[in-house]
């Protein structure tokens, strides 16, 4: 329990009540709340109450900017050599099912000459987190000091790391509690969380993949558009060039869902293969970044340049170098990046049980609903119900069909893997 209730211009309960009742929080109040997070003087119950008050009452653009700056200033800002000016870029997704884009895009952009200091997050709700996927690779460390991050960018060109006591620690606290308090879909909290991490990276350009649909944080396009506008607006106030893409999330992205399986599918894409929808999204987002950052004359050229890095092995080489630089044993990294699919399965977490899902009758696949699939996998251990809860990286599902495909009765729809029998009895 916290030793004190007072952290600045007003008590925490007073600030919670003020926001709960729909009033605007002043800059000093927001900064006081964030200071209390980092100093440990705000109780977890109070943090949850404040998050819910913000979720229900919202924040205006000024409040959101202040919260973003306060979160960013709760830790260190990364410092870069002057020669890197104009090369620092990043991408962020608001979260989806089967979204392993960052694992491919960061090394592909590095192969194009960019510097990509990607500070990512863990899973929120039913969506998978980039850090959780990478931790399915034995030895991979998402905790890197600012000095280590600079070294990674110097020698590899990219890194994918998490928040720490040095980098945006206050957001790390809020992020974990949002996941277990039904406040994931708060527009100002999403905006502040994303942009606080990007502010400390001192980027030139950021592209945000704002998803909408049944399995997205925002089911409808209008709410997603509001978030996109907030990200662009607050980003401009912070001096970051932000472009936002609106993409659908009704069906899973790619064929695989689940941490270990998604790493395998990312490797297929890094080899120039993989599902078409995954490759298309990666090349479009990456091409947009290259174009907006002045590293490609047109969007079309940016897309082609990014795709070439996937096809010629350059992106895969950067990915292997990133794995080794972030703690993965060299022989394991090499085996993952050069082995066959069967060999890779033996190197990543493997579930003891597999179960095929089969079509009950003849027909045509009309839709593949990402949300119920993700919810089942979440209950099987792929997601968290409590902050800090360990995950089962071996739980997952590989889809064997696509929308529009004709099926016979008994034909396989997908293969589920997990730690218990009767995986999909639900």
């Amino acid at each position: 329990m916290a030793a004190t209730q007072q952290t600045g211009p007003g008590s925490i309960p007073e600030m919670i009540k003020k926001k709960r009742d729909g009033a605007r929080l002043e800059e000093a109040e927001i900064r006081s709340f964030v200071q209390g997070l980092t100093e440990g003087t705000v109780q977890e119950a109070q943090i949850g109450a404040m998050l819910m008050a913000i979720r229900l009452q919202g924040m205006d653009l000024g409040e959101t900017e202040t919260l973003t700056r306060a979160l960013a200033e709760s830790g260190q800002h990364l410092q870069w050599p002057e020669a890197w000016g104009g090369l620092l870029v990043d991408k962020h997704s608001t979260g989806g099912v089967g979204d392993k884009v960052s694992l491919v895009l960061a090394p592909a952009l590095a192969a194009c000459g960019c510097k990509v200091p990607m500070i990512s997050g863990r899973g929120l709700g039913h969506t998978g987190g980039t850090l959780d996927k990478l931790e399915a690779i034995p030895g991979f460390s998402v905790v890197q000091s600012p000095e280590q991050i600079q070294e990674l960018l110097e020698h590899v060109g990219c890194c994918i790391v998490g928040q720490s006591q040095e980098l945006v620690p206050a957001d790390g606290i809020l992020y974990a509690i949002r996941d277990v308090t039904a406040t994931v879909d708060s527009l100002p909290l999403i905006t502040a969380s994303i942009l606080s991490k990007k502010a400390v990276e001192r980027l030139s350009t950021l592209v945000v993949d704002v998803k909408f649909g049944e399995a997205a944080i925002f089911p409808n396009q209008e709410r997603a558009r509001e978030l996109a506008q907030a990200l662009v607006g607050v980003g401009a106030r912070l001096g970051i060039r932000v472009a936002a893409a609106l993409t659908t999330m009704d069906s899973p992205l790619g064929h695989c869902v689940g941490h270990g399986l998604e790493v395998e599918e990312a490797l297929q894409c890094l080899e120039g293969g993989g599902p078409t929808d995954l490759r298309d999204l990666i090349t479009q987002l990456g091409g947009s970044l290259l174009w907006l950052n002045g590293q490609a004359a047109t969007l079309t050229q940016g897309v082609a340049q990014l795709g070439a890095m996937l096809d010629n092995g350059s992106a895969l080489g950067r990915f292997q170098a990133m794995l080794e630089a972030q703690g993965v044993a060299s022989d394991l990294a090499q085996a993952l990046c050069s082995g066959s699919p069967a060999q890779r399965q033996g190197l990543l977490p493997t579930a003891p049980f597999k179960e095929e899902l089969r079509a009950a009758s003849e027909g045509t696949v009309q839709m593949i609903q990402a949300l119920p699939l993700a919810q089942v996998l979440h209950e099987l251990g792929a997601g968290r119900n409590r902050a800090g809860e360990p995950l089962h990286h071996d739980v997952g599902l590989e889809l064997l069909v696509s929308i529009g495909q004709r099926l016979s009765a008994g034909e396989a729809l997908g293969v589920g893997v997990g730690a218990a029998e009767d995986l999909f009895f639900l």
Side-chain angles (χ1 to χ4, degrees):
M1 181 176 292
T4 179
Q5 299 290 317
Q6 190 78 27
T7 62
S11 73
I12 295 299
E14 287 172 354
M15 283 187 260
I16 295 170
K17 181 177 183 296
K18 185 176 180 180
K19 178 49 66 178
R20 181 202 69 189
D21 295 342
R24 186 182 190 279
L25 294 178
E26 299 300 323
E27 177 177 350
E29 292 173 316
I30 295 171
R31 289 187 174 277
S32 174
F33 173 70
V34 173
Q35 181 182 346
L37 294 177
T38 56
E39 293 178 349
T41 57
V42 184
Q43 298 176 40
E44 189 167 305
Q46 294 173 324
I47 299 171
M50 178 64 87
L51 291 176
M52 185 57 72
I54 294 171
R55 162 64 180 81
L56 295 175
Q57 296 294 349
M59 281 182 154
D60 63 27
L61 205 61
E63 287 177 290
T64 305
E65 179 191 356
T66 297
L67 178 59
T68 304
R69 290 185 183 276
L71 292 175
E73 292 165 10
S74 67
Q76 296 182 30
H77 275 60
L78 296 169
Q79 303 294 325
W80 312 120
E82 191 173 326
W84 292 2
L87 297 177
L88 290 150
V89 302
D90 199 359
K91 162 266 174 190
H92 186 88
S93 170
T94 57
V97 178
D99 186 352
K100 68 282 293 181
V101 168
S102 293
L103 278 66
V104 181
L105 186 54
L109 287 168
C112 292
C114 298
K115 300 293 185 182
V116 190
M118 190 176 285
I119 302 177
S120 295
R122 300 194 177 278
L124 283 175
H126 65 273
T127 64
T130 296
L131 301 182
D132 298 325
K133 301 179 205 300
L134 284 167
E135 286 183 338
I137 304 173
F140 190 90
S141 175
V142 302
V143 179
Q144 302 289 326
S145 69
E147 294 75 22
Q148 289 172 317
I149 291 173
Q150 181 167 332
E151 186 174 344
L152 282 161
L153 294 197
E154 178 71 39
H155 297 290
V156 180
C158 65
C159 63
I160 302 178
V161 302
Q163 293 117 320
S164 65
Q165 289 302 312
E166 297 169 300
L167 298 175
V168 213
D171 179 62
I173 296 168
L174 294 185
Y175 197 94
I177 296 176
R178 282 171 59 208
D179 189 28
V180 293
T181 55
T183 54
V184 168
D185 63 347
S186 166
L187 190 150
L189 293 177
I190 295 170
T191 301
S193 179
I194 293 172
L195 292 180
S196 62
K197 292 190 280 285
K198 305 314 173 186
V200 304
E201 296 174 5
R202 301 176 65 211
L203 300 175
S204 305
T205 307
L206 169 69
V207 65
V208 183
D209 181 9
V210 181
K211 296 192 177 296
F212 66 93
E214 183 187 44
I217 292 176
F218 296 124
N220 65 73
Q221 188 171 356
E222 185 52 41
R223 284 285 286 162
R225 192 178 303 279
E226 290 177 18
L227 174 59
Q229 291 169 343
L231 288 165
V232 172
V234 175
R237 292 181 176 214
L238 298 173
I240 305 172
R241 185 190 300 113
V242 180
L246 299 179
T247 63
T248 59
M249 180 42 65
D250 294 309
S251 300
L253 182 60
H255 299 152
C256 294
V257 184
H259 309 303
L261 291 178
E262 290 187 48
V263 171
E264 291 182 45
E265 191 162 72
L267 285 164
Q268 293 172 21
C269 195
L270 284 162
E271 291 176 326
T276 302
D277 63 337
L278 176 60
R279 180 185 169 102
D280 286 348
L281 181 56
I282 290 166
T283 55
Q284 286 293 324
L285 293 174
S288 298
L289 264 176
L290 294 174
W291 174 47
L292 291 168
N293 206 48
Q295 291 167 275
T298 65
L299 174 58
T300 301
Q301 289 183 15
V303 169
Q305 185 177 338
L306 201 290
M309 296 301 105
L310 299 176
D311 294 334
N312 65 20
S314 297
L316 182 62
R318 297 288 180 138
F319 185 74
Q320 180 177 334
M322 183 182 76
L323 294 186
E324 294 177 8
Q326 291 192 233
V328 178
S330 296
D331 56 347
L332 174 58
Q334 183 176 359
L336 279 172
C337 294
S338 61
S340 67
Q343 290 170 325
R344 286 171 181 159
Q345 288 180 1
L347 300 171
L348 294 167
T350 304
F353 297 103
K354 291 187 178 182
E355 184 172 333
E356 285 191 340
L357 288 75
R358 296 187 175 277
S361 60
E362 179 184 356
T364 302
V365 179
Q366 299 290 333
M367 66 178 67
I368 301 173
Q369 293 180 287
L371 182 59
L373 292 176
Q375 289 171 332
V376 169
L377 294 175
H378 186 283
E379 290 304 311
L380 290 170
R384 296 180 180 86
N385 293 311
R386 298 187 303 276
E389 190 175 20
L391 298 178
H392 292 287
H393 291 108
D394 53 358
V395 170
L397 171 70
E398 180 181 3
L399 295 167
L400 302 178
V401 298
S402 56
I403 295 174
Q405 183 175 335
R406 187 72 183 171
L407 296 174
S408 302
E411 192 170 344
L413 301 170
V415 178
V417 295
E421 295 182 82
D422 298 324
L423 291 174
F424 292 93
F425 182 73
L426 293 174

